[in-house]
Amino acid sequence: MPLRGSSRAIPSKNLRRLAGRPLFAWSLEAAVESGCFDEIYVSTDSSEIGSAVEREFSSSVRVIGRPAETATDTASTESVMLDFQERVAFDVLCLIQATSPLTRAEDFRRAKQRFADEGADSLLTAVESKRFFWTRDASPVNYDPANRPRRQQFRGLLMENGAFYFTRAATLRTCRARLGGKIAIHHMPDETGVEVDEPLDWLVAEHLVRERTRRSGRLAAQGGEGR
């Protein structure tokens, strides 16, 4: 998980508390609970973030320094991945993004199984979108306006939700990108299409996280009463 200390749209975004916890803690906890990974790392240019990660996860997550040139506003996430590859040996790297706090442990497990079953070189996560898309020059992208389909009959498209990605070491080295070779897709629930990049995203994500937490607590309580 790459975590920058600075953020323009939402200041100190990665440390800011969403539903009572730092933003990074939600998806990072899901990764830890999934049991999918031999090692989990956070790459950060911020000592404050590093300390917060260590407080939240103690020995289950390792913190490594992130070079300044990979933490600028214009630096690509791939630059962090390639730097990591220079320092840590791996067969498959999972890039986890803190901006997707609705990621569940089960998503990692199912994605890992799909990745293996399909013999994929890389994997992305996505949600279904049944919206009609147009280019800026007013050309339809995914439907015929003269034969507008009913929503129930429209297959739509898959939209990347940016929750996490799997990339084989050889694929990252050759393509210098998170996706390449044979690509698999793990489908996630509609609400996980929210990525926390803007203030409005924060409000929506916090509401969804609180609602999921409330439902989980209620179900746990109901289960306890039934034993």
Side-chain angles (χ1 to χ4, degrees):
M1 178 181 283
L3 294 175
R4 284 202 306 156
S6 63
S7 175
R8 286 191 175 185
I10 305 174
S12 302
K13 175 174 69 178
N14 289 315
L15 282 172
R16 183 175 170 182
R17 291 190 170 271
L18 182 142
R21 302 188 69 187
L23 176 62
F24 69 78
W26 293 100
S27 50
L28 199 55
E29 181 177 68
V32 172
E33 289 183 351
S34 74
C36 287
F37 308 110
D38 296 318
E39 299 282 356
I40 299 177
Y41 292 82
V42 162
S43 174
T44 183
D45 61 326
S46 164
S47 59
E48 189 178 3
I49 288 177
S51 296
V53 171
E54 289 170 349
R55 284 195 301 272
E56 289 279 335
F57 295 98
S58 60
S59 60
S60 58
V61 176
R62 297 187 181 189
V63 177
I64 61 173
R66 177 173 174 173
E69 62 271 18
T70 71
T72 66
D73 289 337
T74 57
S76 67
T77 301
E78 274 77 3
S79 68
V80 189
M81 298 170 71
L82 289 163
D83 171 74
F84 183 82
Q85 189 170 38
E86 291 297 315
R87 294 194 275 167
V88 180
F90 60 85
D91 296 317
V92 177
L93 177 66
C94 179
L95 167 68
I96 305 165
Q97 303 211 114
T99 46
S100 296
L102 290 157
T103 303
R104 304 164 303 171
E106 186 62 20
D107 286 308
F108 289 112
R109 296 186 195 111
R110 290 181 178 175
K112 183 178 180 181
Q113 189 62 55
R114 179 179 291 275
F115 185 77
D117 289 347
E118 295 188 12
D121 299 304
S122 56
L123 175 144
L124 61 96
T125 59
V127 296
E128 215 175 58
S129 174
K130 290 197 173 186
R131 298 296 183 94
F132 297 130
F133 291 96
W134 292 72
T135 64
R136 294 184 184 277
D137 64 357
S139 298
V141 172
N142 62 335
Y143 84 111
D144 176 6
N147 294 285
R148 189 181 184 95
R150 295 175 65 246
R151 192 178 188 282
Q152 295 89 332
Q153 299 169 326
F154 183 53
R155 294 192 66 187
L157 294 172
L158 292 177
M159 179 185 76
E160 272 189 58
N161 67 351
F164 59 88
Y165 301 80
F166 287 168
T167 313
R168 292 193 186 276
T171 302
L172 179 60
R173 189 175 296 109
T174 302
C175 300
R176 302 185 71 78
R178 70 190 79 178
L179 296 171
K182 184 178 180 181
I183 300 174
I185 302 178
H186 169 62
H187 298 197
M188 292 177 65
D190 290 347
E191 66 268 20
T192 65
V194 177
E195 293 184 78
V196 182
D197 292 315
E198 302 293 336
L200 179 59
D201 302 331
W202 187 281
L203 295 176
V204 174
E206 185 160 47
H207 170 76
L208 292 171
V209 168
R210 287 189 184 280
E211 182 62 15
R212 177 186 286 182
T213 302
R214 184 186 67 80
R215 288 180 179 177
S216 296
R218 183 177 63 191
L219 289 172
Q222 289 173 346
E225 289 168 2
R227 288 195 185 97

